[in-house]
Amino acid sequence: MSDSAAKLHDEVDHLRAMPMRRAVTIAIASGFVGMIVVVAGLWWLAGTPSVHWGGTLSAGTVIGVLQLVFGLVVLPAGIVALVVNYRKQRVAEAAHGLAEIAERRSQAAHRLIDQSAARDGVNHFEERFARGAELLGHASPAVRLAGVHWLAALADAWPDGRRRCADLLCGYARLPYDPEEGKEGRAERGVRIAILGVISQRMYKNAAQPWHDLHINLQDALISGTFQLNGWQVSNTVSFDGATFDKGSRLYFSEVSFGERGELRFAESRVDGADIRIIETDVTDQRVAFNHATVTNDGSIVFHTCSISGELSLQGLRIESGHLGFMCVTTAPGTQIDLSKAQINSESDAHFSFFDTNFRGATLNLQDAILRGADLNFTWCQLAGAVVNLEEAHLAQGTRVYFPRGTLRSSDGATPPEVIFTRARLDAGSRIEVEGKDLRCRLRFSSLGFQGGQLDLSAATFADSKTVTGLPAVLPKEVSMPPGWPGTQP
């Protein structure tokens, strides 16, 4: 017998009452015995007087005898009444105790049933999970596709196992494959598209069974297809680090919201002829990152109608053939757009575009960048209070850095924009152009290295000679200044 069963048995035994006849008999006998003991005690205390028997009974003697007889008659009745009342109290207490014991036993039975049901439920979900994994590993692409939807449905019904289902789907999506390998490759591509579609549906803000808090790990995956990823809620890390975005693929992330730990990461990814766009999204501090990503085969990364604050990391971005674009973007004061050590290594159509972008108060950091064949064009941009830092940048052949008329103007009372070319290098075929009237910006050219490149400021006029600093007193032939500028050679 277990300890709990033994304890319950003792409690029930404690509540059991003595049979009524035995209880009354014992009580009456105990009463008479007690009375005899009391009378004997009183008689002994009175000195054990002798009894004289007379021939005549006095009235007092008769009354005393009657009182004794009455007491002997009433005593058992009183004892029985006390026993009955006590018995009622004990019965009521026993009934209450038994009710409590019954309730505890009922609760224990329910707990056992719930635990058994939970075990059965877990076993059921585990069996379904194993079945989903079996389907996902099947030789037939059609069966694998069924496995994708099987695991998605299981994740919706099994909150405790949702992460496992998502991890299994992401793990499968990371497996290498060749989408160009005939019919099988095309079918497998459909399976991968289904996986990303299943994930996307559950990342929506109003998803019925959301995956917002899950870590979506698609590192090193091959992403192929067109996806409208609208209205995502990212509360954890969604990682495309090291992923390859196949030629012709399009991923449009629109109106994405980020939680406290939310990140959308593309570090070391390869945009191979694909188009990745971040649209109508508030990109706050380090929520989106393309560190050391590579754009090739006319691929593109575009931020469109976004608000950027904090830091946007594009450090080490490599564009071999493609486009980095900022279109209709606004930045908060103090924003850092980090393109330090970026590389453009192609003489094809590789360029940056900053169309209609408001960089007011922000820093665009291109320090140590290598720009070969790049078109760095600030048409329709607002740079009041901004810093464009090309310190130690290498402007190789075919690169053009262009500040058209109106971009470097400064509003009254606002911090003037600053462009830094300190220790930058201009190779042959590269060019820096600045246009505008009565500019109050700050152009820094200290130790600018001319190796055949051109600096053309001839279409600009400046508020004072302190606007442009760092140029030598006698300007080299590669520098074109406004007429009458001190040090300009005829």
Side-chain angles (χ1 to χ4, degrees):
M1 183 182 294
S2 65
D3 292 341
S4 59
K7 184 177 179 181
L8 182 62
H9 185 269
D10 292 341
E11 289 182 3
V12 173
D13 281 345
H14 178 70
L15 293 174
R16 287 177 179 170
M18 185 182 297
M20 189 67 174
R21 180 179 298 176
R22 185 188 303 175
V24 171
T25 301
I26 293 174
I28 293 174
S30 299
F32 278 112
V33 171
M35 185 180 68
I36 292 171
V37 171
V38 170
V39 170
L42 292 175
W43 182 70
W44 181 75
L45 290 174
T48 60
S50 59
V51 179
H52 299 282
W53 300 96
T56 304
L57 294 175
S58 65
T61 302
V62 173
I63 293 171
V65 171
L66 291 175
Q67 290 176 342
L68 178 61
V69 171
F70 180 77
L72 292 174
V73 172
V74 170
L75 178 63
I79 291 173
V80 170
L82 289 174
V83 170
V84 170
N85 288 334
Y86 175 73
R87 176 80 171 191
K88 288 180 178 180
Q89 179 65 28
R90 286 287 293 156
V91 168
E93 292 176 353
H96 180 70
L98 289 173
E100 288 184 344
I101 291 172
E103 178 65 20
R104 291 203 302 271
R105 295 184 69 178
S106 176
Q107 292 176 355
H110 281 299
R111 284 196 297 271
L112 289 174
I113 292 172
D114 291 342
Q115 290 171 1
S116 177
R119 286 193 297 271
D120 292 342
V122 170
N123 292 336
H124 175 65
F125 285 128
E126 291 288 353
E127 291 172 1
R128 290 177 62 186
F129 181 78
R131 177 57 176 161
E134 182 181 347
L135 293 174
L136 200 59
H138 198 274
S140 169
V143 177
R144 294 199 295 274
L145 184 60
V148 170
H149 295 288
W150 176 286
L151 287 167
L154 175 59
D156 292 341
W158 188 22
D160 291 340
R162 187 166 295 161
R163 181 181 298 278
R164 292 174 61 189
C165 295
D167 287 346
L168 181 57
L169 289 172
C170 291
Y172 184 86
R174 295 197 303 271
L175 296 175
Y177 84 106
D178 184 2
E180 303 300 326
E181 191 177 340
K183 184 178 178 181
E184 285 295 317
R186 291 191 296 273
E188 179 61 18
R189 180 174 179 266
V191 176
R192 308 302 175 99
I193 290 175
I195 289 175
L196 193 52
V198 160
I199 293 171
S200 179
Q201 291 171 6
R202 287 154 181 80
M203 292 298 293
Y204 295 146
K205 294 182 181 71
N206 299 321
Q209 303 294 337
W211 291 11
H212 305 157
D213 294 328
L214 299 185
H215 176 201
I216 305 301
N217 183 4
L218 293 168
Q219 295 181 16
D220 302 319
L222 175 58
I223 308 297
S224 183
T226 298
F227 302 94
Q228 297 284 349
L229 308 175
N230 302 329
W232 276 24
Q233 173 66 45
V234 180
S235 299
N236 205 324
T237 301
V238 178
S239 176
F240 293 94
D241 291 349
T244 297
F245 299 90
D246 204 12
K247 184 173 179 58
S249 297
R250 292 177 175 83
L251 279 81
Y252 296 156
F253 296 89
S254 178
E255 298 181 357
V256 178
S257 298
F258 294 94
E260 184 177 351
R261 297 182 296 114
E263 292 182 306
L264 191 57
R265 299 182 51 84
F266 300 86
E268 299 183 358
S269 62
R270 186 176 182 85
V271 184
D272 187 12
D275 184 17
I276 299 177
R277 294 177 182 253
I278 313 295
I279 306 169
E280 295 183 352
T281 296
D282 292 335
V283 181
T284 55
D285 193 20
Q286 295 183 349
R287 300 301 186 191
V288 179
F290 284 87
N291 314 47
H292 302 285
T294 299
V295 181
T296 187
N297 203 10
D298 293 326
S300 61
I301 298 171
V302 178
F303 293 85
H304 193 295
T305 324
C306 291
S307 174
I308 301 176
S309 60
E311 182 179 351
L312 172 62
S313 183
L314 299 153
Q315 186 183 46
L317 177 69
R318 183 184 180 95
I319 302 180
E320 296 178 356
S321 171
H323 172 220
L324 171 65
F326 291 80
M327 302 177 64
C328 303
V329 169
T330 60
T331 61
T335 297
Q336 298 278 336
I337 299 177
D338 187 4
L339 278 158
S340 61
K341 299 183 179 179
Q343 297 184 45
I344 295 182
N345 297 323
S346 174
E347 295 181 1
S348 62
D349 184 20
H351 62 281
F352 298 109
S353 64
F354 302 100
F355 181 79
D356 197 17
T357 293
N358 186 345
F359 284 111
R360 290 177 182 271
T363 297
L364 178 62
N365 184 14
L366 286 152
Q367 186 175 2
D368 292 319
I370 300 174
L371 308 178
R372 179 177 288 105
D375 182 13
L376 194 60
N377 192 330
F378 289 92
T379 300
W380 299 104
C381 289
Q382 300 178 48
L383 296 172
V387 176
V388 180
N389 183 12
L390 287 137
E391 183 177 355
E392 297 186 350
H394 180 188
L395 278 60
Q397 183 177 9
T399 295
R400 182 191 186 215
V401 181
Y402 178 47
F403 296 93
R405 191 179 304 273
T407 54
L408 290 177
R409 66 176 180 267
S410 177
S411 304
D412 292 339
T415 303
E418 184 174 7
V419 184
I420 303 171
F421 288 95
T422 303
R423 294 185 298 279
R425 191 176 102 187
L426 275 70
D427 287 355
S430 64
R431 189 175 185 85
I432 300 171
E433 296 181 48
V434 177
E435 298 177 355
K437 292 183 177 181
D438 196 24
L439 298 179
R440 299 179 183 275
C441 59
R442 298 288 182 264
L443 302 177
R444 312 299 187 199
F445 296 105
S446 299
S447 304
L448 181 63
F450 292 98
Q451 299 185 8
Q454 301 289 320
L455 172 60
D456 186 359
L457 307 180
S458 60
T461 60
F462 302 98
D464 55 62
S465 59
K466 295 180 180 179
T467 298
V468 181
T469 62
L471 291 176
V474 178
L475 297 176
K477 62 181 181 180
E478 293 90 352
V479 179
S480 300
M481 299 297 289
W485 187 266
T488 304
Q489 296 181 352

